[in-house]
C-alpha cells in the first residue's frame, strides 16, 4: 500500500475553510510588515461582505464569499465559503483538499506606512483591504488555509482525523 500525504481535511459539501490571510509583525517576500490594527478602519468601513474572495487576485475570478474577517493577536483571520456552483470554485475545492494550493494573499491600498532605512522593511500601519485571494504562492509564506470545515464533524471524527495525520 502506497502512503500518500493526508489531505488538509475532507472538505465539506459547503466548501467552508479558515486560515490567516496576513500575519502581524512578519516580513513578507517584498519586505512589507503588516502591523496590528492595520485593517481595523477598513474592516469597519467595508465590512466582510464588501471584501472579495478571488482566485489569484484576478477580479474576473470571484470564487465565493467571506463569512468572517477579523484581526486577532496573530493576524487577519478569515473564514470563507467557496461557491460550488462556480466551476473554478469546484476546481479550487479539489485543489485545497489535496493540498495542491493553500496560500492566501491580500489585495490592498496603503494608507499609512513607514520605511525603516537600516532594514529596508516597510511597516504597513493602515491598509484599505479590497480583496483576499486563494493563491499558489503567497507573498507571506505563512499566510495559509489551515483548516477546512466539516459540516457535521463530531469530536470522535476530529480525534480520528488528527491521529491519522500524526501517525501516518
Amino acid at each position: 500500500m502506497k502512503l500518500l500525504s493526508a489531505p488538509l481535511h475532507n472538505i465539506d459539501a459547503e466548501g467552508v475553510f479558515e486560515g490567516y490571510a496576513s500575519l502581524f509583525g512578519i516580513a513578507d517576500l517584498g519586505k512589507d510588515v503588516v502591523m496590528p490594527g492595520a485593517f481595523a478602519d477598513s474592516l469597519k468601513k467595508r465590512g466582510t461582505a464588501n471584501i472579495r474572495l478571488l482566485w489569484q487576485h484576478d477580479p474576473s475570478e470571484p470564487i465565493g464569499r467571506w463569512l468572517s474577517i477579523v484581526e486577532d493577536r496573530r493576524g487577519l483571520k478569515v473564514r470563507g465559503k467557496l461557491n460550488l456552483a462556480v466551476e473554478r470554485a469546484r476546481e479550487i475545492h479539489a485543489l485545497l483538499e489535496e493540498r495542491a494550493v493553500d496560500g492566501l494573499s491580500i489585495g490592498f491600498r496603503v494608507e499609512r506606512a513607514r520605511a525603516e532605512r537600516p532594514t529596508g522593511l516597510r511597516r504597513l500601519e493602515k491598509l484599505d483591504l479590497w480583496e483576499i485571494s486563494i493563491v499558489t504562492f503567497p507573498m507571506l509564506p505563512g499566510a495559509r488555509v489551515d483548516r477546512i470545515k466539516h459540516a457535521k464533524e463530531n469530536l470522535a471524527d476530529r480525534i480520528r482525523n488528527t491521529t491519522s495525520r500524526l501517525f501516518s
Side-chain angles (χ1 to χ4, degrees):
M1 178 174 158
K2 184 176 179 182
L3 295 176
L4 300 174
S5 64
L8 194 55
H9 287 283
N10 293 328
I11 297 178
D12 72 355
E14 297 177 11
V16 176
F17 65 94
E18 293 181 357
Y20 278 89
S22 182
L23 300 171
F24 296 140
I26 299 173
D28 70 11
L29 299 175
K31 294 192 171 190
D32 281 340
V33 179
V34 177
M35 304 306 293
F39 302 104
D41 289 345
S42 185
L43 291 173
K44 188 184 298 183
K45 179 178 77 174
R46 288 187 188 277
T48 300
N50 292 311
I51 297 169
R52 301 296 173 230
L53 169 51
L54 303 178
W55 170 243
Q56 306 282 8
H57 297 293
D58 186 343
S60 69
E61 296 247 29
I63 54 171
R65 65 186 176 93
W66 293 110
L67 302 174
S68 70
I69 304 172
V70 296
E71 284 189 329
D72 67 13
R73 293 177 62 157
R74 185 172 177 214
L76 190 64
K77 186 173 183 145
V78 296
R79 184 171 183 257
K81 181 180 180 206
L82 296 172
N83 181 339
L84 299 178
V86 174
E87 183 177 353
R88 175 67 79 197
R90 288 192 306 273
E91 294 169 354
I92 294 161
H93 184 270
L95 293 169
L96 282 168
E97 188 172 48
E98 293 299 318
R99 291 186 178 179
V101 296
D102 65 354
L104 292 171
S105 183
I106 55 176
F108 58 90
R109 182 175 58 83
V110 176
E111 293 187 344
R112 187 174 64 241
R114 62 185 160 81
E116 290 183 355
R117 296 199 197 291
T119 63
L121 297 175
R122 183 171 68 151
R123 303 271 176 191
L124 304 176
E125 297 173 339
K126 185 176 180 183
L127 300 174
D128 184 14
L129 183 64
W130 294 11
E131 59 90 6
I132 304 167
S133 288
I134 295 175
V135 297
T136 308
F137 301 109
M139 281 292 279
L140 180 60
R144 302 279 175 180
V145 171
D146 42 86
R147 200 159 104 199
I148 305 297
K149 292 300 237 180
H150 291 278
K152 295 178 182 172
E153 183 181 53
N154 61 30
L155 180 59
D157 288 337
R158 287 177 42 204
I159 293 169
R160 226 180 338 273
N161 288 335
T162 302
T163 303
S164 69
R165 281 197 326 273
L166 290 172
F167 298 107
S168 292

